[in-house]
Amino acid sequence: MAVDNFPVEAGHILMFARAVGDDNPVYRDAEYASGTEVGAVVAPPTFMQASAQFDPDYFLRPKPGKPWFGSGRESTGIKAGDPAGSTPSEGGDNKAVLHAEQHFEYHRHPRAGDVLTATTLPGKRWVKEGKRSGKLTFTESITQYHNQDGELMVTAKGVGVVTERPVDQ
Amino acid sequence: MALQGKELTIGQVHSAQVVQDLKRTQIVQYAGASGDYNPIHTDEPYARDIAGYPTVFAHGMLTMGMTGAMLTDYVGDGRLTKFGVRFTSQVWPGDDLKASAIFEGLEESVDGTLANFAVETVNQDGAVVLKGYAQARVD
């Protein structure tokens, strides 16, 4: 993922905080926030994940005119083996990428009004035998978020996993 | 309000109920806010018929986000220096989640005193759904 322009917007922070059930006014009330230690509306700790909104190629967002693997008339918009489909899988139609781990290191906390860039480097890749879902293929990626002044704000490390079959319940 | 490092004792637990009876609508809200529209989280026919799950399940990052709210309420806004987790079990509609931070000790750094915590979020059956760590600047 490379995101050249990730504007950290107050309205987006408000929506994100609502979605995680966080009613802290520091995420929605600039006047309140100005009287706190941080001094401004800041991004919640996991907000960098929402940079996906600003990644033009993000594969988990439907795009006009392109096949989408979610349901419509049928349970999926992608026919088996359809090479045009943007399935999230690497080896079969029912092998979704699941999120295994996520790590954030906060050098500074982004505020509403900051404009960030995100640069992702591939990390390690490893395979493990899972009890509940067969062979597990893990892939790591490291993303650095810099602000408009070139300062490193947040380093994020994500680990995705492709399971051989759905996780047993 | 930030934490006072010297008032923390090792093993001290801070917990918060971060959701009761998780609604599918909240998962939809998270998809919209985060931009992760993977239908496995919001699209019942896809989740059941194609992905092979009993129903939709929450984004791991929704659980991490709710756990993050427990942390920032505890350590103060803008105080976290690290927060990392493994997603150990799926979170389903209807789940109740309780998030906890367990104090593990202080360390000194150029930025001041840092407190280290183990972090864990469990569901109504006591199953651990998220396990990790956090570090925060304390006074």
Side-chain angles (χ1 to χ4, degrees):
Chain A
M1 182 178 71
V3 178
D4 298 334
N5 186 46
F6 172 21
V8 178
E9 295 160 344
H12 192 191
I13 289 174
L14 171 146
M15 288 195 296
F16 190 92
R18 276 184 186 159
V20 299
D22 191 337
D23 199 32
N24 186 340
V26 79
Y27 301 131
R28 58 178 155 79
D29 183 339
E31 200 179 305
Y32 166 86
S34 70
T36 67
E37 185 183 62
V38 285
V41 170
V42 288
T46 62
F47 186 76
M48 292 302 100
Q49 198 69 12
S51 60
Q53 300 276 18
F54 300 95
D55 176 355
D57 302 319
Y58 187 58
F59 71 108
L60 292 174
R61 178 176 67 240
K63 298 176 190 68
K66 299 262 176 71
W68 174 244
F69 63 103
S71 70
R73 275 184 212 122
E74 294 173 30
S75 297
T76 177
I78 303 284
K79 301 286 175 279
D82 183 353
S86 65
T87 67
S89 67
E90 296 187 37
D93 288 335
N94 57 356
K95 292 183 189 173
V97 177
L98 302 178
H99 204 162
E101 292 180 34
Q102 184 65 40
H103 306 263
F104 294 106
E105 193 175 339
Y106 307 99
H107 313 286
R108 295 156 203 272
H109 287 269
R111 305 161 155 230
D114 281 347
V115 181
L116 309 183
T117 58
T119 317
T120 299
L121 310 162
K124 292 177 289 190
R125 191 183 165 91
W126 66 99
V127 175
K128 194 175 128 180
E129 202 58 42
K131 286 189 202 80
R132 294 161 61 205
S133 48
K135 191 176 85 170
L136 304 169
T137 307
F138 293 90
T139 311
E140 183 183 85
S141 65
I142 294 153
T143 304
Q144 290 188 323
Y145 295 89
H146 287 86
N147 73 359
Q148 58 280 8
D149 300 320
E151 294 169 313
L152 179 60
M153 305 295 279
V154 179
T155 304
K157 183 172 82 175
V159 179
V161 60
V162 177
T163 63
E164 194 171 20
R165 55 187 160 80
V167 182
D168 295 343
Q169 303 309 319
Chain B
M1 283 293 285
L3 286 177
Q4 302 294 315
K6 59 180 177 297
E7 289 176 10
L8 295 166
T9 49
I10 288 171
Q12 181 180 335
V13 181
H14 171 82
S15 295
Q17 193 74 35
V18 292
V19 71
Q20 302 251 22
D21 186 9
L22 174 67
K23 304 298 191 290
R24 287 173 178 79
T25 307
Q26 187 171 355
I27 302 175
V28 170
Q29 261 184 302
Y30 187 78
S34 68
D36 179 346
Y37 297 100
N38 189 337
I40 208 163
H41 301 304
T42 55
D43 181 337
E44 191 80 21
Y46 176 84
R48 267 199 328 250
D49 304 345
I50 305 298
Y53 287 99
T55 183
V56 295
F57 57 91
H59 306 71
M61 290 306 295
L62 172 53
T63 305
M64 188 177 188
M66 293 191 290
T67 302
M70 174 279 292
L71 285 171
T72 45
D73 284 349
Y74 182 42
V75 304
D77 302 319
R79 290 284 184 146
L80 282 177
T81 53
K82 287 179 186 171
F83 179 25
V85 305
R86 275 190 303 122
F87 303 107
T88 51
S89 273
Q90 282 153 304
V91 170
W92 302 95
D95 278 359
D96 304 328
L97 299 181
K98 186 173 93 169
S100 302
I102 303 107
F103 177 61
E104 292 190 319
L106 297 176
E107 64 179 74
E108 294 302 324
S109 81
V110 287
D111 299 321
T113 306
L114 302 172
N116 288 304
F117 301 92
V119 174
E120 191 173 270
T121 301
V122 298
N123 69 14
Q124 65 282 0
D125 301 320
V128 178
V129 297
L130 172 155
K131 204 168 173 55
Y133 58 86
Q135 186 186 65
R137 280 187 303 112
V138 292
D139 290 339

